[in-house]
Amino acid sequence: MSLLDRYNIQQRFNLLIFISIILASCFLIGFMYKLISNYINDYTSHYWREHTATFADSAIYSVILGSTSQSESVVHSFASDKNVLGATILNSRGELLASYGARSVCELNRPLRTEEPSYADNRDSWCFYSPIYQESYLGYVELVISKAEYDLVMKKLLLGSILIILIFSLFFIVIVRRLSRLFTSTLMEMAMVLNKVSLGERGNRVHFSGSSEINNMRITLNDMLANIETTETELEKSVEERTSALKIALESSETANIYKAQIMSMVSHEMKTPLHAIGGYLQLLAERLPDDPVFTENRALHAKALVRVNDLNTLIDNILLHAQLEADRYDVALTSIAIAPLVHACVENVTPLLNRNRNQLQLIGSDTMFVSDGEVLRHILNNLLSNACKFTTDGLITLTWRLTQAFLIIEVADTGCGIPAEFCDQIFDAWWQVDMSLGRRYGGHGLGLAITKQFVQRLNGDISVEPNHISGTIFTIRIPNSKS
Amino acid sequence: MRKEIYNLLKSSIIFFSCSTFAKDPQVVIVYSAEALGNPAYAQVIAGIEHMNSHVQRIESTGDNNNISSILDATHADRVIALGKGIVENIYRTEYRERTLAGLMYFNPAEYSGVGLALDNRVLVEHLARLLPSVKHFFVVQQSHFQTIDYVPNNLKSSAVIEIREGVDSLDTIRVLGRLLDEATSADAIFIPANLPKNILYEVAKVAWDKKIILLSTNLSHLENGALIAAYPDDFALGEQLGRLVNRPSPVYENIKVIKFALNRRVAQHLAIEFDPIILDSFALKIK
């Protein structure tokens, strides 16, 4: 099959015809040779049978007389033929009257009954026998005929047949080649033009002509090619325009990124520095207020101001962290960590929030070692626990972790207000909250879950959310076990 | 007066009786209808009719069982049967004694009539005239198929005729072969009339090489190497038969009138030249 793939349709057609002609020629030569060989063999043997019968007739007189000299004369006259290897006359008792030339070749194949005409076919000769009758059986004659001339004729015939069939085959092949060119040139030209079109060359058209159908096909194909080229041109123009627009957009994006980086730099440096100063000064002012009930109100205001400063600081930290994750500039550092101490540290961190909404926390899991980035994992747990504490009041928060062969699976389930199912896909978007109104009940900026998701992805894990079967939600994190 | 009347009556009775006894016999020629294609039959019949004006022809169509009743119906006194088949059939009937055979070879012991065998005396007489240089004529024939009757006495010619016979055809061929070996160009050999053509070819070849004269009583041999063929004159044969009808007792005769045919090419090969008168006497000449 792969061999045939190397040839085009015209070559395949020619090859097929060529092989067919060769096979047909071989068959024809064989068949003709066999047929002619049989015919000539029959004809020759018939001719020599008749000749032997004539020999027998000629020998009658000499056999009747029992004359050796007469018999020899007859034998010599019949042996003078160049094809006759030997001639013999024998009487009815099998006694030799006259003989000439070879007899030994026929000794082995001598017929048992010489009263009837017969012949023996040897490799190089025939032995013909014919009885001599004149009212009664008088004897028989034997004629040994060479096959040399017969073989020569057959050889010439075979060579002649081969030559004729060869000439005929060549002539036929030439005709077939011309016909195949005629029949396949249309297809070949179409294939060539389509190939060029597929390579992107333009302006190629087919030029074949012939019957009305062929001409219609040429016109249709050329029209189709023209249409394709027009469409391509339009498409290229459109792509060019789009590409140009995209370039502009990319450039804008790069500019925006530069602005963003500048903003981030400004935020990190120009905003956080004064904020730390404000926080420090507020802390100093609060510490310097006299321990007098008159300043209780001032002390409370200072405390609120500090809380706001801390909130603002946290927001800026989150913005910076989110920007860092978005820009793919956050690297994880994998170390072996004990999960239970990490969980307890996080729980300790959210205890004030837990207590503020009078929630209970249930921890389910055993201590186990896991290779991961501890800081990232801490962020994830803090965020999820903070969210659970924030949206649950007088409820139960359950933190479950388990290590399987493939994953570390952490579940944070709460009995809080829950998330409507239609928003489950959106809660991980940055700056998105279920209640986006200004008068919303719960605070926050919609960055926590976005950052959590990005952290999980940093650890090659995934996060999902589903409603708790009582109320609230269940966040499930699956982080692949690097050991496996 | 009474005596005169008596004499007149006596004379009348004698006259009527004599006229009754002098009446020609009823002669019937019987031959096969198929044989009419052979011109020899027509000639023979013409010869018979030439000698007997009141003959009746009967063409036998092959139904030989009622040949006797046909002959009865014709009141045949004498029957001339032509051809072996017809002769054999009639010889099985009561007409056997009244039948003369013709146009077949036979010997006197078998049938009455005129046999096709040539009379050697007539033959030699003619040959001595035609071939005066030949002094020795050999006749080779099969003992049961004699085409030349040999009558040793009363030979007028000085030429010698010698008969050599074989018991069967093969023996006859052997006799002929031996004769060819010993014969010279001064001899002439009558080859058997029934000699097969293939043997005749070989015999003619030997004779041609040795320049021996071959003669035959079979006209067809003339084309195959015989110099002269002697054959019956069919009309004369008919006349012969016609004459025999009037003989009361069974009689056998051989052919008295012989025709001769010449192969001039053989004559040329043998360097035999004939006088124009002699040449004219040949009934048939081929080249």
Side-chain angles (χ1 to χ4, degrees), chain B residues 126-159:
Chain B
H126 282 293
L127 288 173
R129 182 172 55 84
L130 297 173
L131 298 168
S133 62
V134 179
K135 299 299 176 192
H136 207 148
F137 292 97
F138 293 95
V139 175
V140 180
Q141 58 188 7
Q142 201 175 322
S143 57
H144 296 291
F145 189 75
Q146 293 172 339
T147 58
I148 296 171
D149 280 340
Y150 183 67
V151 182
N153 54 351
N154 296 329
L155 281 176
K156 293 175 186 174
S157 172
S158 59

Short mmCIF file of all heavy atoms in Angstrom, two decimals, chain B residues 126-159:
data_model
loop_
_atom_site.label_atom_id
_atom_site.label_comp_id
_atom_site.label_asym_id
_atom_site.label_seq_id
_atom_site.Cartn_x
_atom_site.Cartn_y
_atom_site.Cartn_z
N HIS B 126 -1.15 -61.35 -83.38
CA HIS B 126 -1.18 -59.89 -83.45
C HIS B 126 0.12 -59.29 -82.93
O HIS B 126 0.67 -58.36 -83.53
CB HIS B 126 -2.36 -59.35 -82.65
CG HIS B 126 -3.66 -59.46 -83.35
ND1 HIS B 126 -3.98 -58.75 -84.49
CD2 HIS B 126 -4.77 -60.22 -83.10
CE1 HIS B 126 -5.20 -59.05 -84.90
NE2 HIS B 126 -5.70 -59.97 -84.06
N LEU B 127 0.59 -59.82 -81.82
CA LEU B 127 1.80 -59.26 -81.19
C LEU B 127 3.02 -59.42 -82.09
O LEU B 127 3.90 -58.57 -82.12
CB LEU B 127 2.04 -59.91 -79.82
CG LEU B 127 1.06 -59.49 -78.71
CD1 LEU B 127 1.29 -60.31 -77.46
CD2 LEU B 127 1.20 -58.00 -78.40
N ALA B 128 3.05 -60.53 -82.77
CA ALA B 128 4.17 -60.77 -83.69
C ALA B 128 4.19 -59.70 -84.78
O ALA B 128 5.25 -59.31 -85.26
CB ALA B 128 4.05 -62.16 -84.29
N ARG B 129 2.97 -59.22 -85.10
CA ARG B 129 2.88 -58.17 -86.11
C ARG B 129 3.23 -56.82 -85.49
O ARG B 129 3.95 -56.00 -86.09
CB ARG B 129 1.45 -58.16 -86.65
CG ARG B 129 1.20 -57.15 -87.77
CD ARG B 129 -0.18 -57.37 -88.36
NE ARG B 129 -1.23 -57.34 -87.34
CZ ARG B 129 -1.79 -56.21 -86.90
NH1 ARG B 129 -1.41 -55.05 -87.39
NH2 ARG B 129 -2.72 -56.28 -85.97
N LEU B 130 2.75 -56.62 -84.24
CA LEU B 130 2.96 -55.31 -83.60
C LEU B 130 4.39 -55.16 -83.08
O LEU B 130 4.98 -54.09 -83.16
CB LEU B 130 1.96 -55.12 -82.43
CG LEU B 130 0.49 -55.10 -82.80
CD1 LEU B 130 -0.37 -55.08 -81.55
CD2 LEU B 130 0.17 -53.89 -83.68
N LEU B 131 4.90 -56.25 -82.50
CA LEU B 131 6.26 -56.20 -81.92
C LEU B 131 7.11 -57.29 -82.58
O LEU B 131 7.39 -58.35 -81.98
CB LEU B 131 6.19 -56.42 -80.40
CG LEU B 131 5.41 -55.38 -79.59
CD1 LEU B 131 5.17 -55.88 -78.17
CD2 LEU B 131 6.18 -54.06 -79.54
N PRO B 132 7.51 -57.08 -83.77
CA PRO B 132 8.23 -58.15 -84.46
C PRO B 132 9.58 -58.48 -83.83
O PRO B 132 10.09 -59.58 -84.00
CB PRO B 132 8.40 -57.57 -85.88
CG PRO B 132 8.22 -56.11 -85.74
CD PRO B 132 7.32 -55.89 -84.60
N SER B 133 10.15 -57.51 -83.07
CA SER B 133 11.47 -57.75 -82.48
C SER B 133 11.41 -58.68 -81.28
O SER B 133 12.41 -59.27 -80.88
CB SER B 133 12.11 -56.42 -82.09
OG SER B 133 11.29 -55.80 -81.11
N VAL B 134 10.26 -58.82 -80.70
CA VAL B 134 10.13 -59.65 -79.49
C VAL B 134 9.86 -61.08 -79.90
O VAL B 134 8.94 -61.36 -80.66
CB VAL B 134 8.99 -59.13 -78.59
CG1 VAL B 134 8.84 -60.02 -77.35
CG2 VAL B 134 9.25 -57.69 -78.19
N LYS B 135 10.70 -61.92 -79.38
CA LYS B 135 10.57 -63.33 -79.73
C LYS B 135 10.01 -64.17 -78.60
O LYS B 135 9.63 -65.31 -78.77
CB LYS B 135 11.95 -63.89 -80.16
CG LYS B 135 12.55 -63.20 -81.37
CD LYS B 135 11.68 -63.33 -82.60
CE LYS B 135 12.25 -62.54 -83.77
NZ LYS B 135 11.28 -62.43 -84.88
N HIS B 136 10.04 -63.57 -77.41
CA HIS B 136 9.63 -64.36 -76.25
C HIS B 136 8.63 -63.58 -75.42
O HIS B 136 8.94 -62.53 -74.85
CB HIS B 136 10.87 -64.67 -75.39
CG HIS B 136 10.73 -65.92 -74.60
ND1 HIS B 136 11.79 -66.74 -74.29
CD2 HIS B 136 9.66 -66.54 -74.09
CE1 HIS B 136 11.37 -67.76 -73.61
NE2 HIS B 136 10.07 -67.66 -73.47
N PHE B 137 7.42 -64.08 -75.41
CA PHE B 137 6.38 -63.45 -74.60
C PHE B 137 6.11 -64.30 -73.36
O PHE B 137 5.88 -65.51 -73.49
CB PHE B 137 5.07 -63.33 -75.42
CG PHE B 137 5.17 -62.34 -76.54
CD1 PHE B 137 5.45 -62.76 -77.84
CD2 PHE B 137 4.99 -60.99 -76.31
CE1 PHE B 137 5.55 -61.86 -78.88
CE2 PHE B 137 5.08 -60.08 -77.36
CZ PHE B 137 5.37 -60.50 -78.63
N PHE B 138 6.19 -63.68 -72.23
CA PHE B 138 5.87 -64.37 -70.97
C PHE B 138 4.49 -63.91 -70.52
O PHE B 138 4.18 -62.71 -70.57
CB PHE B 138 6.87 -64.02 -69.87
CG PHE B 138 8.26 -64.56 -70.13
CD1 PHE B 138 9.24 -63.79 -70.74
CD2 PHE B 138 8.57 -65.87 -69.76
CE1 PHE B 138 10.50 -64.29 -70.96
CE2 PHE B 138 9.84 -66.36 -69.99
CZ PHE B 138 10.81 -65.58 -70.59
N VAL B 139 3.71 -64.85 -70.10
CA VAL B 139 2.39 -64.51 -69.54
C VAL B 139 2.40 -64.91 -68.07
O VAL B 139 2.59 -66.09 -67.75
CB VAL B 139 1.25 -65.24 -70.28
CG1 VAL B 139 -0.08 -64.96 -69.60
CG2 VAL B 139 1.21 -64.81 -71.73
N VAL B 140 2.29 -63.92 -67.21
CA VAL B 140 2.24 -64.20 -65.77
C VAL B 140 0.81 -63.99 -65.32
O VAL B 140 0.24 -62.90 -65.51
CB VAL B 140 3.19 -63.28 -64.98
CG1 VAL B 140 3.11 -63.60 -63.48
CG2 VAL B 140 4.61 -63.41 -65.48
N GLN B 141 0.23 -64.98 -64.75
CA GLN B 141 -1.15 -64.84 -64.27
C GLN B 141 -1.41 -65.81 -63.12
O GLN B 141 -0.64 -66.75 -62.90
CB GLN B 141 -2.15 -65.04 -65.39
CG GLN B 141 -2.04 -66.38 -66.10
CD GLN B 141 -2.94 -66.45 -67.33
OE1 GLN B 141 -3.54 -65.47 -67.75
NE2 GLN B 141 -3.03 -67.62 -67.94
N GLN B 142 -2.51 -65.54 -62.46
CA GLN B 142 -2.89 -66.39 -61.32
C GLN B 142 -3.64 -67.59 -61.88
O GLN B 142 -4.44 -67.45 -62.81
CB GLN B 142 -3.79 -65.56 -60.39
CG GLN B 142 -3.86 -66.08 -58.98
CD GLN B 142 -4.67 -65.12 -58.11
OE1 GLN B 142 -4.57 -63.92 -58.28
NE2 GLN B 142 -5.46 -65.68 -57.22
N SER B 143 -3.36 -68.74 -61.32
CA SER B 143 -3.93 -69.96 -61.91
C SER B 143 -5.46 -69.94 -61.92
O SER B 143 -6.09 -70.55 -62.77
CB SER B 143 -3.40 -71.20 -61.17
OG SER B 143 -3.70 -71.08 -59.81
N HIS B 144 -6.06 -69.22 -60.95
CA HIS B 144 -7.53 -69.17 -60.91
C HIS B 144 -8.08 -67.90 -61.53
O HIS B 144 -9.25 -67.61 -61.38
CB HIS B 144 -8.01 -69.30 -59.46
CG HIS B 144 -7.67 -70.61 -58.85
ND1 HIS B 144 -8.25 -71.80 -59.27
CD2 HIS B 144 -6.77 -70.97 -57.91
CE1 HIS B 144 -7.75 -72.79 -58.60
NE2 HIS B 144 -6.82 -72.33 -57.76
N PHE B 145 -7.24 -67.15 -62.15
CA PHE B 145 -7.70 -65.93 -62.80
C PHE B 145 -6.91 -65.76 -64.09
O PHE B 145 -5.97 -64.99 -64.18
CB PHE B 145 -7.51 -64.72 -61.85
CG PHE B 145 -8.15 -63.46 -62.37
CD1 PHE B 145 -9.54 -63.30 -62.30
CD2 PHE B 145 -7.40 -62.45 -62.93
CE1 PHE B 145 -10.13 -62.15 -62.77
CE2 PHE B 145 -7.99 -61.30 -63.40
CZ PHE B 145 -9.36 -61.15 -63.33
N GLN B 146 -7.33 -66.54 -65.08
CA GLN B 146 -6.60 -66.54 -66.34
C GLN B 146 -7.26 -65.56 -67.31
O GLN B 146 -8.45 -65.69 -67.61
CB GLN B 146 -6.60 -67.94 -66.95
CG GLN B 146 -5.80 -68.93 -66.12
CD GLN B 146 -5.95 -70.35 -66.58
OE1 GLN B 146 -6.92 -70.71 -67.27
NE2 GLN B 146 -5.01 -71.20 -66.21
N THR B 147 -6.47 -64.63 -67.77
CA THR B 147 -7.00 -63.66 -68.72
C THR B 147 -6.56 -64.00 -70.15
O THR B 147 -7.01 -63.36 -71.08
CB THR B 147 -6.52 -62.25 -68.36
OG1 THR B 147 -5.09 -62.25 -68.35
CG2 THR B 147 -7.04 -61.82 -67.01
N ILE B 148 -5.69 -64.97 -70.24
CA ILE B 148 -5.26 -65.45 -71.56
C ILE B 148 -5.39 -66.97 -71.58
O ILE B 148 -4.83 -67.65 -70.71
CB ILE B 148 -3.81 -65.03 -71.87
CG1 ILE B 148 -3.70 -63.51 -71.94
CG2 ILE B 148 -3.33 -65.67 -73.18
CD1 ILE B 148 -2.29 -63.00 -72.01
N ASP B 149 -6.15 -67.45 -72.50
CA ASP B 149 -6.29 -68.90 -72.64
C ASP B 149 -5.11 -69.43 -73.45
O ASP B 149 -4.77 -68.87 -74.50
CB ASP B 149 -7.59 -69.23 -73.38
CG ASP B 149 -8.77 -69.16 -72.43
OD1 ASP B 149 -8.56 -69.24 -71.20
OD2 ASP B 149 -9.89 -68.98 -72.92
N TYR B 150 -4.53 -70.42 -72.90
CA TYR B 150 -3.34 -70.94 -73.57
C TYR B 150 -3.71 -72.21 -74.33
O TYR B 150 -4.07 -73.23 -73.74
CB TYR B 150 -2.24 -71.24 -72.55
CG TYR B 150 -0.96 -71.73 -73.18
CD1 TYR B 150 -0.21 -70.87 -73.99
CD2 TYR B 150 -0.52 -73.02 -73.00
CE1 TYR B 150 0.95 -71.32 -74.59
CE2 TYR B 150 0.65 -73.47 -73.59
CZ TYR B 150 1.39 -72.60 -74.40
OH TYR B 150 2.52 -73.07 -75.00
N VAL B 151 -3.59 -72.12 -75.63
CA VAL B 151 -3.80 -73.30 -76.49
C VAL B 151 -2.48 -73.51 -77.21
O VAL B 151 -2.08 -72.69 -78.05
CB VAL B 151 -4.94 -73.06 -77.52
CG1 VAL B 151 -5.17 -74.30 -78.36
CG2 VAL B 151 -6.20 -72.64 -76.81
N PRO B 152 -1.75 -74.56 -76.84
CA PRO B 152 -0.38 -74.69 -77.32
C PRO B 152 -0.26 -74.99 -78.83
O PRO B 152 0.71 -74.62 -79.44
CB PRO B 152 0.19 -75.84 -76.50
CG PRO B 152 -0.99 -76.57 -75.98
CD PRO B 152 -2.14 -75.65 -75.93
N ASN B 153 -1.27 -75.67 -79.39
CA ASN B 153 -1.07 -76.11 -80.78
C ASN B 153 -1.54 -75.05 -81.79
O ASN B 153 -2.18 -74.05 -81.42
CB ASN B 153 -1.80 -77.42 -81.02
CG ASN B 153 -3.27 -77.32 -80.64
OD1 ASN B 153 -3.69 -76.34 -80.05
ND2 ASN B 153 -4.02 -78.33 -80.98
N ASN B 154 -1.18 -75.28 -82.97
CA ASN B 154 -1.61 -74.49 -84.11
C ASN B 154 -1.12 -73.05 -84.04
O ASN B 154 -1.79 -72.12 -84.50
CB ASN B 154 -3.14 -74.47 -84.24
CG ASN B 154 -3.67 -75.87 -84.52
OD1 ASN B 154 -2.98 -76.69 -85.15
ND2 ASN B 154 -4.85 -76.15 -84.05
N LEU B 155 0.03 -72.80 -83.39
CA LEU B 155 0.55 -71.44 -83.36
C LEU B 155 1.19 -71.12 -84.69
O LEU B 155 2.10 -71.81 -85.15
CB LEU B 155 1.59 -71.28 -82.25
CG LEU B 155 1.05 -71.11 -80.84
CD1 LEU B 155 2.19 -71.07 -79.85
CD2 LEU B 155 0.21 -69.86 -80.73
N LYS B 156 0.68 -70.05 -85.31
CA LYS B 156 1.19 -69.71 -86.62
C LYS B 156 2.47 -68.90 -86.51
O LYS B 156 3.33 -68.93 -87.37
CB LYS B 156 0.14 -68.88 -87.39
CG LYS B 156 -1.10 -69.68 -87.73
CD LYS B 156 -2.13 -68.78 -88.37
CE LYS B 156 -3.43 -69.54 -88.57
NZ LYS B 156 -4.48 -68.66 -89.07
N SER B 157 2.61 -68.15 -85.39
CA SER B 157 3.73 -67.24 -85.27
C SER B 157 4.99 -67.98 -84.85
O SER B 157 4.93 -69.05 -84.23
CB SER B 157 3.41 -66.17 -84.24
OG SER B 157 4.54 -65.41 -83.99
N SER B 158 6.13 -67.34 -85.18
CA SER B 158 7.41 -67.91 -84.75
C SER B 158 7.72 -67.51 -83.32
O SER B 158 8.62 -68.05 -82.68
CB SER B 158 8.52 -67.39 -85.67
OG SER B 158 8.56 -65.98 -85.61
N ALA B 159 7.00 -66.52 -82.79
CA ALA B 159 7.25 -66.06 -81.41
C ALA B 159 6.82 -67.10 -80.39
O ALA B 159 5.87 -67.84 -80.62
CB ALA B 159 6.49 -64.76 -81.16
#
